[in-house]
Amino acid sequence: MAQPSPPSDRRPAGVSISLMPAAGVSEAELTQITEIFADLVSAGAALGWVDPPDREQVSALLANVAEGITAGESSVALAVQSDDGRPGCDGTGERIVGIAYWRRYTRPTHRPHVDIEKVAVDPRDHGGGIGRGLMQALITSAREAGVEVITLDLRGDNVRAIRLYESLGFTRYGLLPGFVAVGQQRFDTHLYALDLRVT
């Protein structure tokens, strides 16, 4: 049987990945990010919310994460699509199509490490390499911040994300059966890590 080809590093034309400045995002970008989170959660994505977050919740989250950027306590990657004729651009001919971030652990013995807390791609753009681009940007920023280990966790039914993380070198170090509660449903949590000291 033929070996599967390695995942592509290519993203759709017109998509760029950059790190969010400590100043945060514009009002239009905040609206776009809120819509991405809300659309994903409405469709059942596991992003930590049971109900779709509103603009105020997303604004507070981004402000909290932005506070740590200058000190190397956090990093936020944004995927931006140049105007492709679809609605939703912010007036500059661009729209946010993905966001991901990590935060440094606060426990003193875990300070060399960070946790990727959210990776979200606009549902209209799934499968185009945007998630990979966001993850690569976060891995690079973690290396530059002197991070030793990157951790993340995800729901066990997110097979596409599991394949992505494993293709980037993350290894599973734990499993919590039935840990995620969504109403009466229970899902396993998979725990992954990327040790930057050996890669």
Side-chain angles (χ1 to χ4, degrees):
M1 182 193 290
Q3 292 290 336
S5 59
S8 170
D9 288 340
R10 294 178 27 200
R11 290 182 290 281
V15 173
S16 62
I17 307 289
S18 60
L19 296 179
M20 183 180 86
V25 296
S26 70
E27 289 299 312
E29 291 168 333
L30 173 60
T31 297
Q32 294 164 11
I33 293 167
T34 301
E35 289 171 357
I36 290 171
F37 284 146
D39 288 348
L40 289 168
V41 172
S42 291
L47 290 169
W49 291 290
V50 173
D51 297 314
D54 61 27
R55 182 184 174 87
E56 187 175 307
Q57 290 172 299
V58 175
S59 178
L61 171 70
L62 291 178
N64 184 272
V65 175
E67 287 177 8
I69 289 175
T70 303
E73 298 295 307
S74 57
S75 183
V76 181
L78 299 171
V80 180
Q81 170 75 56
S82 298
D83 185 1
D84 61 357
R86 286 195 275 185
C89 290
D90 66 359
T92 65
E94 298 179 336
R95 68 179 179 92
I96 303 288
V97 294
I99 181 171
Y101 67 89
W102 58 251
R103 286 202 258 206
R104 196 173 287 275
Y105 282 94
T106 56
R107 184 180 295 179
T109 55
H110 296 174
R111 296 290 294 150
H113 316 302
V114 300
D115 186 58
I116 294 178
E117 295 185 4
K118 293 194 192 318
V119 180
V121 175
D122 188 318
R124 298 174 292 180
D125 296 286
H126 280 182
I130 294 170
R132 175 173 296 279
L134 291 167
M135 288 296 296
Q136 289 170 328
L138 290 184
I139 292 167
T140 298
S141 71
R143 283 186 198 282
E144 292 171 355
V147 169
E148 294 180 9
V149 177
I150 302 172
T151 63
L152 59 83
D153 65 79
L154 73 159
R155 210 165 71 187
D157 63 336
N158 196 344
V159 177
R160 178 184 277 174
I162 289 171
R163 281 195 306 259
L164 168 62
Y165 301 144
E166 289 178 350
S167 77
L168 290 168
F170 283 81
T171 57
R172 192 174 89 178
Y173 68 90
L175 174 71
L176 297 170
F179 189 74
V180 177
V182 180
Q184 296 303 309
Q185 290 185 295
R186 298 295 180 266
F187 299 92
D188 295 345
T189 293
H190 292 241
L191 307 169
Y192 276 83
L194 177 64
D195 192 335
L196 298 179
R197 298 168 294 189
V198 297
T199 60

